[in-house]
Amino acid sequence: MKAVRYHSYGGSDVLVYEETDRPVPGAGQVVVQVAGTSYNDADSGLRAGLRQDLLPLTFPHIPGLDLAGVITEVGQGVTNWRVGDAVAALLPANAPGASAEYVAAPAEALTTAPRTVELADAAALPLVGLTAWQALFDHADLKPGQDILINGAGSAVGGYAVQLASQAGATVIATAGARSRDRVRSYGADRIVDYALTPVTQTLTGQHFDVVLQLAPASPEENAQLVDLVADGGAFVSITTPGPQNAGRGVCAVHVFARSDATQLAELVARVDAGDLAIAVAQRLPLADLAAVHARAAGRFARIAELAAQVEGGDLAKRLRADPAAVRAPATAGELAGKTVLIP
């Protein structure tokens, strides 16, 4: 089969579209013919080796955390899935991924794919949808009637977060630029703050929110300013750079890394099929273009990595200094905007 693999950590140029063996299912696994996967900045972080202390990879490695496809083989001990079932999943980060024609996936990670969208497009849901769900409800404990500020609402996670928070009965204040303003408003945001016109913290000076959800890369100083917008006893939840360890005033500051959860993913799928949750796909590209997608995202990812190293220091900062080429943006790279689905 054809797959994208990399044989060592490095920049986008380590990604190679090549022939490899088709997987066979182990116990508790199924083999899925991939209809689509999608790009996430987490894929770049794994490829660059910035988290190798936590998630070491075995080379050659096939990337692709998001999966949508159809089961072709069922392994020993799997009783709840059959050949022909259309499924979606968030795959384990350090296992072979979905950037291939076929992938062996743990049955416990699977949920039935949504029926109301193209199967490939379902790959735009798992990681970012679960990130939004877990940030809002597992970590922020968002309740009806609360006020939430979603900073970076135009992002892939932000789109789901705005929809879910609005449906949960919260009042949603969202930051968005001209490119995403109308889409974010259509998702249910009660107020849009254009970050390109005036700094968000300046626009919202004196206001306080039960929850501030930070989806944009930020320096420690910028995060501290956003924490000041959290009401006493509220929650500051970040998926990018972490907030201060001791926020004070009873504020809970949480740094979120999404985990695979088939039950939560099934809830998201149900909302998609009910017409309550929109999946936004900016572009669909052949899987062979994955290296170019990583290159186009390199500028944004370099900014995320630099800020994370400033906040976290330690091994992350050492790795970034040791191999800056792994996150450096190529001079000719165009910006990657929105969710990109890759189709084998």
Side-chain angles (χ1 to χ4, degrees):
M1 69 171 186
K2 287 289 189 180
V4 174
R5 303 197 298 178
Y6 51 97
H7 297 252
S8 65
Y9 296 117
S12 59
D13 56 347
V14 301
L15 293 163
V16 182
Y17 185 61
E18 60 188 7
E19 194 73 28
T20 187
D21 294 335
R22 180 170 162 174
V24 295
Q29 291 184 322
V30 302
V31 170
V32 177
Q33 183 174 12
V34 178
T37 186
S38 75
Y39 171 78
N40 297 287
D41 287 324
D43 295 310
S44 287
L46 290 167
R47 185 213 69 226
L50 297 184
R51 299 294 181 183
Q52 58 185 278
D53 53 334
L54 301 175
L55 293 167
L57 303 179
T58 299
F59 296 115
H61 179 71
I62 300 174
L65 301 172
D66 289 322
L67 168 65
V70 176
I71 294 175
T72 59
E73 297 179 66
V74 176
Q76 182 180 359
V78 178
T79 59
N80 53 337
W81 296 106
R82 297 179 180 178
V83 171
D85 287 345
V87 295
L90 174 59
L91 298 176
N94 56 353
S99 297
E101 292 178 312
Y102 294 87
V103 62
E108 64 183 8
L110 302 175
T111 191
T112 300
R115 302 181 304 275
T116 54
V117 299
E118 292 291 331
L119 183 55
D121 288 356
L125 179 64
L127 178 58
V128 289
L130 286 170
T131 300
W133 181 278
Q134 291 167 13
L136 291 174
F137 304 120
D138 291 355
H139 297 287
D141 195 24
L142 186 68
K143 296 289 194 299
Q146 290 188 322
D147 296 330
I148 180 171
L149 169 64
I150 300 178
N151 190 44
S155 65
V157 175
Y160 291 120
V162 170
Q163 294 178 77
L164 293 170
S166 177
Q167 292 165 22
T171 299
V172 180
I173 292 80
T175 72
R179 184 172 58 194
S180 59
R181 183 190 306 121
D182 291 342
R183 176 170 55 86
V184 170
R185 182 176 289 111
S186 74
Y187 287 161
D190 297 282
R191 178 185 174 189
I192 305 291
V193 176
D194 191 335
Y195 62 85
L197 297 179
T198 309
V200 173
T201 51
Q202 182 177 328
T203 300
L204 299 175
T205 297
Q207 300 181 50
H208 292 93
F209 304 90
D210 300 293
V211 176
V212 172
L213 178 57
Q214 169 64 305
L215 306 178
S219 67
E221 294 76 19
E222 290 168 326
N223 274 343
Q225 291 173 350
L226 283 174
V227 168
D228 287 342
L229 298 178
V230 181
D232 292 355
F236 177 84
V237 180
S238 176
I239 72 162
T240 55
T241 45
Q245 292 184 347
N246 299 305
R249 299 185 293 109
V251 172
C252 176
V254 184
H255 192 207
V256 174
F257 296 96
R259 69 182 191 283
S260 182
D261 188 310
T263 300
Q264 291 178 348
L265 185 55
E267 173 62 27
L268 294 170
V269 167
R271 294 185 183 216
V272 171
D273 283 339
D276 296 329
L277 192 66
I279 293 177
V281 175
Q283 58 181 344
R284 300 166 186 86
L285 297 172
L287 181 60
D289 289 353
L290 182 60
V293 171
H294 275 242
R296 288 172 56 198
R300 181 179 68 202
F301 174 66
R303 175 66 173 159
I304 293 171
E306 176 187 355
L307 289 168
Q310 285 182 23
V311 175
E312 298 179 42
D315 288 341
L316 179 58
K318 291 177 183 177
R319 289 196 182 98
L320 194 60
R321 288 194 297 267
D323 189 13
V327 297
R328 187 178 60 216
T332 58
E335 182 184 1
L336 185 67
K339 196 67 174 167
T340 298
V341 167
L342 290 306
I343 300 173

